[in-house]
Amino acid sequence: MIAVLKQGVSKQQIDNLCNWLKEQGVDVHISEGKYYTVLGLIGDTSKIDMELLEDLEIVDSVKRISEPFKSANRKFHPEDTVIEVGDLKIGGGNFQLIAGPCSVESEEQILEVAESVKASGATILRGGAFKPRTSPYDFQGLKADGIELLLEAKAKTGMPIITEIMNANHLPLFEHVDIIQVGARNMQNFELLKELGKIDKPILLKRGLANTLKELLMSAEYIMAGGNEKVILCERGIRTFETYTRNTLDLSAVPMLRELTHLPVVVDPSHATGIARLVKPMALAAAAAGADGIMIEVHNNPAKALCDGPQSLTPEQFKDVAGKIRKILEVVRE
Amino acid sequence: MIAVLKQGVSKQQIDNLCNWLKEQGVDVHISEGKYYTVLGLIGDTSKIDMELLEDLEIVDSVKRISEPFKSANRKFHPEDTVIEVGDLKIGGGNFQLIAGPCSVESEEQILEVAESVKASGATILRGGAFKPRTSPYDFQGLKADGIELLLEAKAKTGMPIITEIMNANHLPLFEHVDIIQVGARNMQNFELLKELGKIDKPILLKRGLANTLKELLMSAEYIMAGGNEKVILCERGIRTFETYTRNTLDLSAVPMLRELTHLPVVVDPSHATGIARLVKPMALAAAAAGADGIMIEVHNNPAKALCDGPQSLTPEQFKDVAGKIRKILEVVRE
Amino acid sequence: MIAVLKQGVSKQQIDNLCNWLKEQGVDVHISEGKYYTVLGLIGDTSKIDMELLEDLEIVDSVKRISEPFKSANRKFHPEDTVIEVGDLKIGGGNFQLIAGPCSVESEEQILEVAESVKASGATILRGGAFKPRTSPYDFQGLKADGIELLLEAKAKTGMPIITEIMNANHLPLFEHVDIIQVGARNMQNFELLKELGKIDKPILLKRGLANTLKELLMSAEYIMAGGNEKVILCERGIRTFETYTRNTLDLSAVPMLRELTHLPVVVDPSHATGIARLVKPMALAAAAAGADGIMIEVHNNPAKALCDGPQSLTPEQFKDVAGKIRKILEVVRE
Amino acid sequence: MIAVLKQGVSKQQIDNLCNWLKEQGVDVHISEGKYYTVLGLIGDTSKIDMELLEDLEIVDSVKRISEPFKSANRKFHPEDTVIEVGDLKIGGGNFQLIAGPCSVESEEQILEVAESVKASGATILRGGAFKPRTSPYDFQGLKADGIELLLEAKAKTGMPIITEIMNANHLPLFEHVDIIQVGARNMQNFELLKELGKIDKPILLKRGLANTLKELLMSAEYIMAGGNEKVILCERGIRTFETYTRNTLDLSAVPMLRELTHLPVVVDPSHATGIARLVKPMALAAAAAGADGIMIEVHNNPAKALCDGPQSLTPEQFKDVAGKIRKILEVVRE
């Protein structure tokens, strides 16, 4: 950690600060420039409260050199983490294709979609039971019944399932769920993350709409600090000024995270763009960028069928996308 | 609500869509242009799932004309809401000055700060007991003990207290807290909001770092839909590309929210800028923009005292700010 | 165009507004709802000043249904535009790989890089002669001499060249340049765009750091309105809150622009990320997303060679990327 | 300047880099930590190309400690710059109120508005002659005729005038203009800035929609480096995700710029919000935040008069705002 002091700071103030820093257990190297004095803090700086330091009157700015994340940091864990999901693996060269409806709506719907996406190459079934909605007046999901229906689809198809949790008190309902998803809006719900750190089950952690990669890794750290190291990261688009797309899919997050961490990285192109027509090109791009998994929404909605004729992503369309993803993976891995 | 259909949509598709919309209970007016057909939906459109509609293949875009928030909407509730906090009122021309330390650290600290800010004109005492921190390794607050110390300060000074909640399971600890704060990171923790909707106590709801005013109002709606209409909104800075300041304080949110809603609006200039030197000008600006309250951090930190000599915001400095805020309120209210 | 009027607007005000709109040559359909009146404007609404309309006291909001761009609009020009660059073509299924150094520095450098990238599959040579720099104290390019050196490289290798213009007064220097680039900072330098509309030469127009796709298309429109329809669009990253990467490459812009316009779309992954290690995965992702061209910086800098040993993107590395791009294009085009 | 080197860099590479840095004329202090080596560069680091350094394979990150702006830097010029505009002064405690129409439309309009705003306390007249418009099909201003009309209003009222330039070739038309405005979209049109650095006339430089304060100061530096030190900075709102307001007015820029630079800072609340109803509260907030001037649009548009009845900001309304601004300035200056 480096602390740059302001111009005109007195010798006494510098000494006081250095003594206080040494009491926190770090060594301090002082370099005096013409306009600034720079303190290099050496040792275990993770206990230094960076915000407190930055807030001192005599401090101009603070720069953390070693990243604040530890368990998730590739520096201390160079090999890719491989996470087991039922009989499958994700990470370390193991790619999984996750598909299913936005919301679980009925037994018929989830079974039909599950069998269709399985036939087209999906390996994990997704479906929302608890739905975070901006409006309290919108449909909030089938909740416990939705999880029951997902488990039924799992039993019928043999596919592992992933679904979102919104409240740690609901954990008992997730006992047979294979991967628990934390949604973008809960990425910094630290109380929920702490509870998920106590269980032994893969967690798919979605990046918040306005969260940096560093914050995403710090949230993974909350889970891992509790003992659960099975964290899968998910890029799903960030909030920008562009309005044609719902969010801006930040695919550079995939290679950047690969450098920073050993955890698997999955991409969700459906929520990122909010436009079914963009799912195919962005799914192929995610595969080319090196994602360990891709999560795609496949609809099977009678209301939509009525109005739209062919559904937004039919089984045929999904099959086409899945096939091309496989070919791109071959090119990337050569 | 208006739905714009794509070019080349068939008569049959339009009829199917209109029939489905009418089944949802709304009337449909059709205007056909050269390149587009526009449907005007009339009646109670709050039950129409805007995202589902937008996602249909035949739909180009959807525009909600009436805002999706109801209880918070000034259109249906033209008078300002006035919320009672102990013997004080906030909103409808009643201004309150909230001050106190970032974190409660000790009995001595909170009592000293409380008495000092009261003497300088603060009317409500703030202090963090449960602290949301980006890193699991940072200090997480004194928790229940912190609330005890706040209650002691309340007993000694007579000031109502405000402190943040992070988990609905902690609600019993907040029984004697006067205002419960929901932090920016939990603004869309809908499970927490629903629980706060069931109690009868003022809630200060902070705007999320990347949340629009509409989303802030929808989150207020979650609380109000449960029966608790005592919601105070708080602007505390949004995330932008600028890096000199920690966040960008969006003061135009104050007059904009005044138009959209009847709820009181408070501004927190301390967290927004992250720079003590900017607190005074931004607090004065917030008063000039028409805020119903201002929340200011006043530090009293021995570690900082050691290094910094005079503290970042001394009692004297706070007194100066408080006095000028009062004079600006006089000019604004004339 | 749709104009939503505010609640409580009088009959007289609506009549006045409708009469004024009719004088502008559009028809008006009125739909009255319970809380709002909606005006549908039909006919050639491109002459209506949307901002003026939106600013009227009685107007709540205005929504343009037909896009404000015409010449660039795929609706009025369904086939892909194919632009000739020397003997090459770009757009409509014709892909080009553009490569070269950030700045032209010397005869030796540009010739060496040109031959190396040509051997690895690049088809167009890039190189900066006029360099827009944030600081007036930074190197501003070799200017006219840089263009001379590029023309020499063109003569030796037969590759068409692309280089950036910053001032319309410099146009005579660009007579033998094959594609003129407009940099991100000049995307809304309308005076420059107008001058480029008067010449008959392909223009590569880079998206501004904070510009929407609609604004990018409106800037293309400035060039096309002058008569020059040879516009190539370029996504090069937008400004967001993320700081690990210099900008956020918005690859969803590629399929989105393909829907909105018939113009070719090129991606520049080098400037977007600012990190050489991310260029390969993002270049492959751009190919998978459907780009008509990719522009890559290949360095050949003795200062860097000294410090870095192997250069950031060696001819060998570029050859590898170029080969994989070709294979991904085969998958995408199948 | 500080350069943090990556883990595992060899002694030889560090020596090569240090030698190269010393050749550039700076001293280098090396601190070796467990995971990183940190180089402190001491001396005149303004000649070091920060981007080139950051791009080296062995460099993790670079932090500039001394700001890259010099002429604009308060560190090297502690006293406020006071700029003379006709008989008026701006900066160093001298406040000016700038008002006038968005566009100059006719002799009658500009004279009427000029006299009205002068009577209400405005001291400088604004009006657009060259109008940058997103669409080539929108009204582009009266151009040279607009400047003539402004000069006529100046002659009649004695008010100095400010108007925008878009092309350095138009400079002869601006001979009698008192302040030349550079619009937000041209903030990084470096060719234009360089030309404005050669003249002896105050320049009002607007912050770009997505530009940081550092970039704003670097653009001021372009003008000042040419010899023209009469630069007035203008905050006019930045682009964020919020859509209720056109832009987000960043008032914290006012006190932040006051720390960083000695140049006067003006605020334009009209363009920032795009909503006439928000102009008054945001103008008062700007005064409270410490602005040296405020620029307000006052309309006088027959088309609007027709539709709107009372105009958006009538002379009476402007008079009210102007009066309250004066009172707030008294409070701030006490």
Side-chain angles (χ1 to χ4, degrees), chain A residues 208-262:
Chain A
L209 262 82
N211 287 110
T212 61
L213 298 181
K214 188 183 286 181
E215 289 168 340
L216 173 61
L217 290 167
M218 291 312 295
S219 285
E221 200 76 19
Y222 259 98
I223 300 170
M224 298 172 88
N228 182 0
E229 303 219 330
K230 300 176 180 171
V231 180
I232 303 165
L233 305 172
C234 180
E235 162 62 31
R236 47 79 74 219
I238 58 175
R239 185 161 267 182
T240 69
F241 56 84
E242 178 59 58
T243 54
Y244 267 124
T245 45
R246 192 185 298 164
N247 298 122
T248 298
L249 187 65
D250 177 12
L251 281 181
S252 60
V254 177
M256 196 72 232
L257 285 171
R258 190 158 311 296
E259 278 199 23
L260 296 168
T261 185
H262 49 88

Side-chain angles (χ1 to χ4, degrees), chain C residues 171-234:
Chain C
L171 263 175
L173 297 170
F174 287 73
E175 194 184 342
H176 302 293
V177 168
D178 299 277
I179 307 177
I180 298 180
Q181 176 176 315
V182 176
R185 292 183 184 86
N186 277 318
M187 192 202 93
Q188 291 195 317
N189 180 343
F190 301 125
E191 293 284 313
L192 176 60
L193 300 180
K194 281 183 203 167
E195 292 304 314
L196 298 176
K198 294 176 188 163
I199 65 174
D200 179 30
K201 199 185 272 296
I203 308 297
L204 183 133
L205 178 65
K206 286 197 160 187
R207 181 182 186 184
L209 262 80
N211 287 109
T212 61
L213 298 180
K214 188 182 285 181
E215 288 168 341
L216 173 61
L217 290 167
M218 291 312 294
S219 286
E221 200 76 18
Y222 258 97
I223 299 169
M224 299 172 89
N228 182 1
E229 303 219 329
K230 300 175 180 171
V231 180
I232 302 165
L233 305 172
C234 180

Side-chain angles (χ1 to χ4, degrees), chain A residues 20-296:
Chain A
W20 181 76
L21 287 166
K22 285 172 187 164
E23 281 167 25
Q24 317 294 310
V26 298
D27 270 344
V28 184
H29 284 194
I30 306 184
S31 323
E32 301 201 24
K34 191 170 170 194
Y35 293 111
Y36 288 93
T37 297
V38 176
L39 306 185
L41 313 193
I42 296 173
D44 181 4
T45 58
S46 68
K47 283 164 202 149
I48 305 288
D49 188 327
M50 186 168 163
E51 290 189 11
L52 188 148
L53 199 58
E54 215 159 19
D55 226 31
L56 297 181
E57 284 284 322
I58 63 172
V59 172
D60 180 87
S61 62
V62 177
K63 185 179 168 62
R64 200 181 269 284
I65 291 174
S66 38
E67 292 93 355
F69 43 96
K70 294 165 187 301
S71 305
N73 199 328
R74 189 179 281 276
K75 277 207 187 72
F76 312 124
H77 185 311
E79 297 82 37
D80 285 349
T81 283
V82 178
I83 294 176
E84 297 189 10
V85 180
D87 298 336
L88 304 171
K89 288 173 180 171
I90 188 161
N94 302 284
F95 180 92
Q96 301 302 335
L97 184 56
I98 307 167
C102 181
S103 298
V104 180
E105 289 167 19
S106 68
E107 186 181 25
E108 190 190 356
Q109 173 237 25
I110 189 66
L111 291 182
E112 195 180 308
V113 174
E115 271 160 26
S116 136
V117 298
K118 187 185 180 190
S120 301
T123 50
I124 300 175
L125 178 66
R126 58 148 288 159
F130 291 92
K131 300 293 301 171
R133 301 301 302 264
T134 304
S135 167
Y137 311 118
D138 285 348
F139 175 59
Q140 312 266 326
L142 292 184
K143 301 180 182 172
D145 292 345
I147 293 186
E148 281 308 308
L149 293 175
L150 279 170
L151 290 173
E152 197 181 322
K154 173 182 174 176
K156 285 252 167 80
T157 61
M159 296 172 90
I161 58 173
I162 172 172
T163 194
E164 179 167 350
I165 195 167
M166 289 175 65
N167 187 331
N169 296 341
H170 299 158
L171 263 175
L173 296 170
F174 287 73
E175 194 184 342
H176 301 293
V177 168
D178 298 278
I179 307 176
I180 298 180
Q181 175 177 316
V182 176
R185 292 183 183 87
N186 278 318
M187 192 201 91
Q188 292 195 317
N189 180 343
F190 302 125
E191 293 284 313
L192 176 60
L193 300 180
K194 280 183 204 167
E195 293 303 315
L196 297 176
K198 295 176 187 163
I199 64 173
D200 179 30
K201 199 185 271 295
I203 308 298
L204 184 134
L205 179 65
K206 288 197 158 186
R207 181 183 184 184
L209 262 82
N211 287 110
T212 61
L213 298 181
K214 188 183 286 181
E215 289 168 340
L216 173 61
L217 290 167
M218 291 312 295
S219 285
E221 200 76 19
Y222 259 98
I223 300 170
M224 298 172 88
N228 182 0
E229 303 219 330
K230 300 176 180 171
V231 180
I232 303 165
L233 305 172
C234 180
E235 162 62 31
R236 47 79 74 219
I238 58 175
R239 185 161 267 182
T240 69
F241 56 84
E242 178 59 58
T243 54
Y244 267 124
T245 45
R246 192 185 298 164
N247 298 122
T248 298
L249 187 65
D250 177 12
L251 281 181
S252 60
V254 177
M256 196 72 232
L257 285 171
R258 190 158 311 296
E259 278 199 23
L260 296 168
T261 185
H262 49 88
L263 298 172
V265 180
V266 161
V267 172
D268 173 350
S270 302
H271 281 86
T273 61
I275 299 175
R277 304 180 306 276
L278 302 194
V279 170
K280 178 178 169 182
M282 298 319 287
L284 301 190
D292 295 297
I294 297 178
M295 182 147 75
I296 295 180

Side-chain angles (χ1 to χ4, degrees), chain B residues 207 210-213 240-242 244 248 251-252 255 259-260 277-278 281-282 284-285 288 324 327 331-332 334, chain D residues 207 210-213 240-242 244 251-252 255 259-260 277-278 281-282 284-285 288 324 327 331-332 334:
Chain B
R207 181 182 185 183
N211 287 109
T212 61
L213 298 181
T240 69
F241 57 83
E242 177 59 59
Y244 266 123
T248 298
L251 281 182
S252 59
E259 277 200 24
L260 296 168
R277 302 179 306 276
L278 301 193
M282 299 319 287
L284 302 190
K324 293 210 164 178
K327 288 185 184 167
V331 175
V332 172
E334 263 172 18
Chain D
R207 181 183 185 183
N211 288 110
T212 60
L213 297 181
T240 69
F241 56 83
E242 178 58 60
Y244 267 124
L251 281 181
S252 59
E259 277 200 23
L260 297 168
R277 302 180 306 277
L278 301 194
M282 298 319 286
L284 302 190
K324 294 210 163 177
K327 288 186 183 166
V331 176
V332 172
E334 264 171 16

